[in-house]
Amino acid sequence: MAIGRPAEGAAEVHKAPRARMTGAQRRLQLIEVARGLFAERGYEGTSIEEIAQRAGVSKPIVYEHFGGKEGLYAVVVDREMETLLEMVTASLSKNRSLYRIQQVALALLTYMEERTDGFRILVRGDSTASTGETATYSSLLNDAVSQVEHILAGDFERRGFDPALAPLYAQALVGMVSSTAQWWLDVREPSKEVVAAHLVNLCWNGLTRLDPSPDLVGPDYVEPLERTTAEDS
């Protein structure tokens, strides 16, 4: 049986035109593509050509949206800083003490798990060509330390401890959580919930029995028997 030939131009009818991205959609796509490349290769190791090629656009499109690699990198870092800072700030300000510590640890671990590329960019802390500096993970940690310091200073005053020691304890707490979280990013075991629970165990059980004037102990130190206090009863 003879098969009839399609009419002239009929072949084109079966090809639906590919929808064009809006300006906002293209901008978001370029940010996501650049985030992956910056995390993988760093600022200096990434080129506009590679970003454009991976996004399937021409170099002028990238320049049109961001003015160049430096502008695109700054946008990527700002978005990651904003995301992580919002998560950490919310966990610090909306909860009571024990739950607050737990949520801070979970917020950081969750961010690292869900936005690993962004976290690696912040930790890398590459400098941009013109400013010589940019927002980094360390600057975010300094913000977190300041907030924890304010919280601890109030707690110390209420409990009769020296609030001048709050900065020291804030550095210790934030540093412990941050260091453990970076270790976990590589091993991913145990689960983030288990890691957060153990961090809280160490933080909270230490803080609830805080000695207002601690001293180093010698090799003959004997652990005192647990005392029953009015606070414990």
Side-chain angles (χ1 to χ4, degrees):
M1 183 175 65
I3 299 176
R5 297 180 61 184
E8 182 104 12
E12 286 78 5
V13 176
H14 298 288
K15 291 184 178 180
R18 187 168 62 180
R20 294 187 59 183
M21 288 187 180
T22 65
Q25 289 172 332
R26 178 65 71 190
R27 180 180 176 85
L28 181 61
Q29 181 213 21
L30 290 171
I31 291 172
E32 292 301 311
V33 167
R35 186 178 71 165
L37 284 169
F38 286 137
E40 177 184 342
R41 304 181 187 182
Y43 177 79
E44 295 297 336
T46 301
S47 68
I48 288 293
E49 288 84 353
E50 290 175 297
I51 295 170
Q53 183 178 17
R54 188 170 292 189
V57 300
S58 62
K59 286 169 54 179
I61 296 294
V62 182
Y63 287 111
E64 178 184 339
H65 281 278
F66 303 100
K69 185 172 73 169
E70 181 180 327
L72 177 52
Y73 183 78
V75 171
V76 169
V77 171
D78 285 346
R79 283 170 61 91
E80 294 307 313
M81 286 287 292
E82 182 179 358
T83 299
L84 181 51
L85 189 57
E86 284 178 357
M87 294 172 70
V88 172
T89 300
S91 62
L92 282 169
S93 60
K94 295 181 180 179
N95 308 301
R96 296 182 64 83
S97 296
L98 176 59
Y99 189 67
R100 178 186 293 155
I101 296 173
Q102 171 187 300
Q103 294 307 103
V104 169
L106 273 176
L108 181 56
L109 292 166
T110 298
Y111 170 81
M112 293 166 64
E113 180 180 55
E114 296 178 354
R115 302 179 69 89
T116 303
D117 283 349
F119 178 77
R120 294 194 190 282
I121 290 172
L122 295 182
V123 172
R124 188 191 295 271
D126 289 325
S127 298
T128 56
S130 64
T131 62
E133 59 181 280
T134 187
T136 63
Y137 182 61
S138 60
S139 65
L140 182 137
L141 289 182
N142 288 335
D143 289 340
V145 167
S146 296
Q147 295 185 56
V148 172
E149 178 184 328
H150 175 73
I151 293 167
L152 290 181
D155 289 342
F156 282 16
E157 284 187 308
R158 286 190 297 272
R159 298 171 65 184
F161 299 155
D162 183 3
L165 293 174
L168 186 158
Y169 282 94
Q171 290 283 350
L173 284 171
V174 173
M176 180 179 68
V177 173
S178 172
S179 177
T180 303
Q182 291 187 65
W183 161 81
W184 177 82
L185 181 62
D186 291 329
V187 299
R188 300 297 178 103
E189 291 181 356
S191 70
K192 65 183 179 183
E193 290 80 11
V194 171
V195 173
H198 282 277
L199 283 169
V200 172
N201 182 39
L202 179 57
C203 293
W204 186 252
N205 287 330
L207 289 174
T208 53
R209 294 167 179 80
L210 199 64
D211 184 343
S213 301
D215 290 314
L216 295 177
V217 299
D220 298 326
Y221 173 76
V222 177
E223 184 73 18
L225 295 176
E226 185 173 350
R227 295 178 298 173
T228 302
T229 65
E231 183 178 346
D232 294 330
S233 58

